[in-house]
Amino acid sequence: MSRKASRASLIALSLERGPNAVPLHLQIYAQLRQAVLEGRLAADTRLPSSRLLAEESGCSRNTVLNAYEQLAAEGYIVGRVGAGSYISRVLPEDLQPQDSKQEQDSRQAGAASSQQEGLEPEGPFLARRARRILEGSRQQRPTGLPAFAPFSVGAPDGRHFPFDVWGRLAGRFWRAPDPLLLKQGDPAGLPELRQAITDYLGGVRSLKVDPEQIFITSGSQQALTWACRLLLDPGDRVWVEDPGYSGFRAPLLAAGAETTPVSVDGEGVCVDEALAGPQARLAVVAPARQFPTGATLSLARRLELLRWARATDGWVIEDDYDSEYRYAGRPLAPLQSLGEGAGRVLYIGSFSKVLFSGIRLGYLVVPPELAEPLRRLRRAIEDHPPLAMQPVLAAFMREGHFAAHVRRMRLIYARRQDCLRQLCADHLPGDSRLEGLEAGLHLVARLPENRALRDQAVAARARAQGLMVQALSSYCLTSERQAGQQGLLLGFAATARSEMPWAVRALASALRETNSGNGGQAIHQSG
Amino acid sequence: MSRKASRASLIALSLERGPNAVPLHLQIYAQLRQAVLEGRLAADTRLPSSRLLAEESGCSRNTVLNAYEQLAAEGYIVGRVGAGSYISRVLPEDLQPQDSKQEQDSRQAGAASSQQEGLEPEGPFLARRARRILEGSRQQRPTGLPAFAPFSVGAPDGRHFPFDVWGRLAGRFWRAPDPLLLKQGDPAGLPELRQAITDYLGGVRSLKVDPEQIFITSGSQQALTWACRLLLDPGDRVWVEDPGYSGFRAPLLAAGAETTPVSVDGEGVCVDEALAGPQARLAVVAPARQFPTGATLSLARRLELLRWARATDGWVIEDDYDSEYRYAGRPLAPLQSLGEGAGRVLYIGSFSKVLFSGIRLGYLVVPPELAEPLRRLRRAIEDHPPLAMQPVLAAFMREGHFAAHVRRMRLIYARRQDCLRQLCADHLPGDSRLEGLEAGLHLVARLPENRALRDQAVAARARAQGLMVQALSSYCLTSERQAGQQGLLLGFAATARSEMPWAVRALASALRETNSGNGGQAIHQSG
């Protein structure tokens, strides 16, 4: 392995200090990352030792180590004890140098684009359907910020997960693994886990279901995929929320669905508007807490949606992605539990947001009459889901660890949300207001209507400062709706309270600078 | 919980004894199971204690316990220490009472049926595509025999798997789980595991690939699903082997493919015949060891297939499902490694047959130009595969346990195959000949051409005696080909040598009785 000898000479850090400055380790992280992405630090380049860089830049060695650790965790650098750190040969996915529009939010590009006609960029060898999916997800992941950069949306704080307990339960399973692993598994998933989920849904979500109605999946996207396989033919129309969860776009397209975006307002998705448009076979909604706006679907609209489903033999997918975490008020009963439409609603839940992202376990609850067909469909298409984590999760739930974890995290998240609200009230300009506070893992700082898409400009500026801020309008599927959906998504679940003061101040400054049209960067770029 | 008091009165066992008889525990198992399936033993009925039943039936208590354990493992009975055993309330899936044709092999019904026009049996609420899949997989699983009934096909003997080692590696992972689990995973799967598979394929299969070309899936069906998502549009034509692996039917239909069955002979799939028929976009073949015939695709046909793919921009799926276990001769190089078509071949491998069924881990190797599109497609549709078992398998491979396990099992399987061959030579009639002996987990006892589908009659009779025998012709997709594909699939991997003498004798007697038109049952049904 030939290692280039080039070292510190290439790194000129320009660090900003002071009470309002971004923490030094984040500045170092950001500047080194930028240098890698721009090619100024080539693969295999050896980095200076943390001690040396600390001396040169006048900060503590711990600060430099902090930055190096983050770079290593993200895959920018690799190193071995005693051999120093080197720039990685393989850049992390999605962090490859891109064009200068990299800062534009991916989801917007993914969704709002109306270029779905020019289907050739992948070359002629892919299927049209695949190309259509890829066209829209070109920049699915934005920015190269750390996984736990402040305000990240949609991730729980897995650092609090009791991996020791989990490991003990896993160990117990493997010590006496036999009959399950040696036989063909249940196509719906492990019965014990389905029972545990049944109990949980009955207790927490007032959802009375039978374990036979539950299908274990690897997350909510796969739950939607199974629903589509059962219910949709190519060309069938599906109503989707606009703005909405972009992760459902590709599974729907893969199933051959045609989507009709439906507006969202303070009462959730506008069912009237949907009913007035082209008829659909399926509606995909998040009634408990609309993503990303945080709106709750009003009871009147719930009933209207269910009436539609019953009258037209339509289906409703109820995505209940994070209602485990509720801080105020009482939740409305799930659509699935309302008499009129119980037979027409498929309910999706996920553990990725409650436990940890890597678990990739979710579930689909189907009406009783769909249970047997789905069992057989799944048996035919993929036999049965991977067993490995199911018995562990079943034990984790049955023995009370799950409930305890949710209780503990709810307290932590509530404190974080409180802290964030207070700081926003103190620092953000008066034209923003906070929404979506009753539940969930993020809130929305709503901004006034703006045709220039100010929220995207602010988000880009904030990300340049190390904040994982998403623009609300970037979740819009149709560009006309962007001006009316102006806001910033601020995830608080994975952001420690100690990080919040500087983060909110940095956000406030990004808001002010965008208002004043000041194009300056808060972080000096190294030369 | 009201438990019925009805007990031994309902159970009248009729056991056959003697040197050629089926082992007593299997007779007890089979008769009790039959009584449950026929409703003679109702749910919640309490079974007599093993001691009592042993006394009544004049066999050892261990024999009864053996039978009870099997029934419990299969879900027919439930029990608690000290509280006795009861007939289960929920019968195991696929074991629900069916019509009297239950003995007919499912796969045949699944594949050969030409009833795909009458699409209404599921009611009008399912998608047409789903109904078409379900129509063909009505009886996907045959018989209610124990998982390890002699001659089971396609399952490894997981009882020899080193679960202690596996558990230790899993424990090690969970003790220091962090960064992977808290971040978004790699859409292709864990890089370490892809590296381990790369090394393995390079060493064992002479397949030179880059880890970037490998995608971790939950088994070979899902690998095919991803290939289809990338390459197929609804209506695209796919060549499939006939007879062939029925598990690929549903994933292809789910992708909207139209399939053209192509004959198989001693040199594997008849490429000429395929080329003369309707043009396809994709060919799904098992060149190393055709399933179920065990034929190896000749080099001439391999090259012909690759020329076709290159000339027409077609794609080839190479299913290499069990070539880990080779007992004689040298394997031909995989299609994927032949120069002419390397860019047109997608290679599918699976761990379910090498390690244990429940692991549900497999992989898809794509040509380099497809790697990046597939990464992005997978990210869009399901983000990333479940992480949990990947690091454990990676360590298992990296640290040599995988290679050691395959070596150990190859010896065990070779001895079992030897034993089975010898017994077949001694006991089976002279008109049968053994094929597919070079590799794999099953062999084929080929029978003379027969329009009455004698093999299916023999298989039904053998299954009634507790043998999990499959008829070769039941894997045919087109009924005209069944007469020419007469044979019995005899799995030996999960059948202990001690079981083989009575099993082969029972099979021989099923063959003789079918020849002589004797319709008698070898096992007396209890009255």
Side-chain angles (χ1 to χ4, degrees), chain A residues 362-511:
Chain A
Y363 50 93
L364 175 68
V365 184
V366 302
E369 66 173 352
L370 292 184
E372 182 56 22
L374 184 53
R375 280 184 82 79
R376 286 173 39 218
L377 191 70
R378 195 174 202 189
R379 177 68 88 201
I381 294 179
E382 72 160 34
D383 207 350
H384 63 96
L387 187 68
M389 285 294 94
Q390 294 188 60
V392 182
L393 178 56
F396 191 78
M397 295 181 83
R398 199 172 52 232
E399 298 177 14
H401 305 295
F402 181 82
H405 180 65
V406 170
R407 272 197 308 274
R408 190 168 55 241
M409 295 313 290
R410 191 185 287 125
L411 285 179
I412 292 174
Y413 293 158
R415 280 200 297 266
R416 288 180 181 176
Q417 199 214 48
D418 262 359
C419 174
L420 178 58
R421 290 167 68 169
Q422 191 57 53
L423 285 163
C424 285
D426 291 349
H427 294 283
L428 296 199
D431 64 354
S432 60
R433 67 175 196 282
L434 303 186
E435 292 186 353
L437 301 168
E438 297 78 13
L441 306 181
H442 75 275
L443 53 79
V444 177
R446 180 72 77 157
L447 305 178
E449 189 155 324
N450 181 301
R451 302 234 151 256
L453 306 187
R454 178 180 159 223
D455 65 342
Q456 296 186 21
V458 176
R461 194 178 295 263
R463 284 202 296 272
Q465 305 216 24
L467 308 178
M468 186 68 106
V469 172
Q470 308 282 359
L472 176 58
S473 72
S474 69
Y475 291 86
C476 285
L477 305 174
T478 41
S479 48
E480 314 86 71
R481 294 197 177 118
Q482 294 185 305
Q485 296 286 358
Q486 287 289 300
L488 302 168
L489 268 66
L490 306 180
F492 51 80
T495 307
R497 282 184 292 168
S498 60
E499 294 261 60
M500 287 184 183
W502 78 263
V504 171
R505 280 195 297 267
L507 179 64
S509 117
L511 271 161

Side-chain angles (χ1 to χ4, degrees), chain B residues 123-134:
Chain B
F125 51 90
L126 298 187
R128 287 184 301 280
R129 180 165 49 182
R131 279 180 278 150
R132 187 169 165 194
I133 294 171
L134 292 179

Side-chain angles (χ1 to χ4, degrees), chain B residues 211-450:
Chain B
E212 294 300 305
Q213 295 173 253
I214 294 179
F215 289 79
I216 307 299
T217 67
S218 67
S220 55
Q221 288 174 303
Q222 208 196 63
L224 179 63
T225 292
W226 281 109
C228 290
R229 280 173 167 159
L230 191 64
L231 302 175
L232 286 193
D233 279 309
D236 281 350
R237 187 156 297 278
V238 177
W239 290 331
V240 295
E241 298 173 330
D242 182 14
Y245 172 48
S246 57
F248 280 164
R249 176 183 170 272
L252 289 170
L253 286 179
E258 298 293 331
T259 54
T260 297
V262 182
S263 300
V264 171
D265 64 18
E267 285 186 59
V269 69
C270 300
V271 178
D272 273 354
E273 179 191 313
L275 294 179
Q279 263 307 300
R281 181 157 171 80
L282 180 70
V284 181
V285 295
R289 195 173 131 79
Q290 204 273 334
F291 186 88
T293 66
T296 301
L297 190 62
S298 65
L299 187 60
R301 290 189 183 175
R302 286 171 190 241
L303 295 174
E304 200 176 4
L305 192 61
L306 294 179
R307 270 196 298 273
W308 160 79
R310 208 169 59 162
T312 66
D313 281 341
W315 298 101
V316 178
I317 300 278
E318 174 171 30
D319 177 27
D320 199 8
Y321 64 98
D322 71 354
S323 62
E324 280 80 8
Y325 295 116
R326 173 160 286 276
Y327 315 111
R330 287 175 55 82
L332 280 170
L335 285 177
Q336 226 273 0
S337 71
L338 297 178
E340 197 154 359
R344 312 300 308 174
V345 177
L346 291 80
Y347 177 99
I348 291 179
S350 165
F351 292 102
S352 302
K353 291 197 169 41
V354 195
L355 301 181
F356 53 94
S357 310
I359 192 171
R360 296 307 289 161
L361 277 175
Y363 51 93
L364 175 67
V365 185
V366 302
E369 65 174 353
L370 293 184
E372 183 57 22
L374 184 52
R375 280 184 81 81
R376 287 173 39 216
L377 191 69
R378 195 175 201 185
R379 176 70 87 202
I381 294 180
E382 72 161 32
D383 207 351
H384 63 96
L387 188 68
M389 285 295 93
Q390 294 187 59
V392 183
L393 178 55
F396 192 78
M397 295 180 84
R398 200 173 49 233
E399 298 177 14
H401 306 295
F402 181 82
H405 179 65
V406 170
R407 271 197 308 274
R408 191 168 52 243
M409 295 312 291
R410 190 185 287 127
L411 285 180
I412 292 174
Y413 294 158
R415 280 199 298 266
R416 289 180 180 175
Q417 199 215 47
D418 262 358
C419 174
L420 178 58
R421 289 167 70 172
Q422 191 57 53
L423 285 162
C424 286
D426 291 349
H427 294 284
L428 296 199
D431 65 354
S432 60
R433 67 175 195 282
L434 304 185
E435 292 186 352
L437 300 168
E438 297 77 13
L441 305 181
H442 75 274
L443 53 79
V444 178
R446 180 72 78 155
L447 307 177
E449 188 156 323
N450 182 302

Side-chain angles (χ1 to χ4, degrees), chain A residues 194-209:
Chain A
R194 291 188 281 121
Q195 182 63 56
I197 292 171
T198 298
D199 297 344
Y200 166 73
L201 289 176
V204 176
R205 297 295 285 134
S206 314
L207 213 50
K208 299 274 172 286
V209 296

